[in-house]
Amino acid sequence: MSNWWKDSTDQVTVCSRSAHVELAAVLPAAGRFVVARLDGTRMTDADHAFYEFSDALLFPGYFGWNWNALSECLRDLSWLAADGYLIVVENAPRLLADSAEDRHTLFQVLAHAVQHRASPFGQPRFKVLLVCDRDDEAALLQQEVADTVRRMR
């Protein structure tokens, strides 16, 4: 079984539906945990992606509907106080499929949010899981995410 929550050093984790995730590895032993489930098929362009994230994570009214605003809100989340956050994107290969630039920007935003929350200052944990239907899709998407994150450095 995969223990991706505790052991993963990936900025954004990709897995197929056939992967097993231990519940104890995902949920904290105690405290409040926010799980946001999004569907990649509903995020056909940047505007739809902003809407889906805003809706799933109850973004405040001042959300600016752009990449910088999405990044800021994902790094803040003070309106959803919790001990941990998990964003699960189902059908991830279809996410922003018509715009490689927007897709890579989203991967960068998600990676920055994970990095920000991984600081040693006791901030709540933050993980992103991109779910694919098949293992081959997961391998291709994992490579795309890794390439995008590597270009960030």
Side-chain angles (χ1 to χ4, degrees):
M1 288 205 173
S2 172
N3 200 10
W4 64 269
W5 177 267
K6 292 181 180 173
D7 297 335
S8 176
T9 57
D10 293 337
Q11 299 300 318
V12 176
T13 303
V14 180
C15 75
S16 68
R17 291 190 190 284
S18 64
H20 293 95
V21 177
E22 292 180 39
L23 213 49
V26 176
L27 301 174
R32 185 170 164 198
F33 201 75
V34 172
V35 177
R37 294 185 65 190
L38 296 95
D39 185 345
T41 61
R42 296 180 67 176
M43 292 186 270
T44 56
D45 58 30
D47 288 337
H48 284 94
F50 300 145
Y51 176 80
E52 290 298 314
F53 275 92
S54 177
D55 189 50
L57 293 166
L58 308 173
F59 285 175
Y62 60 79
F63 175 58
W65 303 95
N66 59 56
W67 294 116
N68 287 336
L70 178 63
S71 180
E72 181 181 318
C73 283
L74 289 176
R75 287 181 286 125
D76 182 358
L77 296 173
S78 60
W79 58 91
L80 284 177
D83 299 303
Y85 302 90
L86 172 63
I87 295 176
V88 179
V89 180
E90 306 263 355
N91 302 306
R94 288 149 208 56
L95 177 66
L96 298 166
D98 292 337
S99 174
E101 182 179 346
D102 284 345
R103 185 173 163 112
H104 293 164
T105 300
L106 177 60
F107 293 159
Q108 290 174 350
V109 165
L110 293 172
H112 277 128
V114 172
Q115 257 179 344
H116 177 77
R117 293 272 176 182
S119 76
F121 301 112
Q123 292 189 10
R125 297 293 305 255
F126 185 91
K127 287 284 186 175
V128 177
L129 179 62
L130 303 178
V131 181
C132 303
D133 288 332
R134 300 184 325 262
D135 291 339
D136 60 326
E137 287 180 323
L140 287 171
L141 188 59
Q142 182 63 49
Q143 186 61 51
E144 183 180 351
V145 169
D147 291 345
T148 301
V149 171
R150 190 172 20 261
R151 283 193 298 268
M152 288 173 33
R153 296 178 186 150

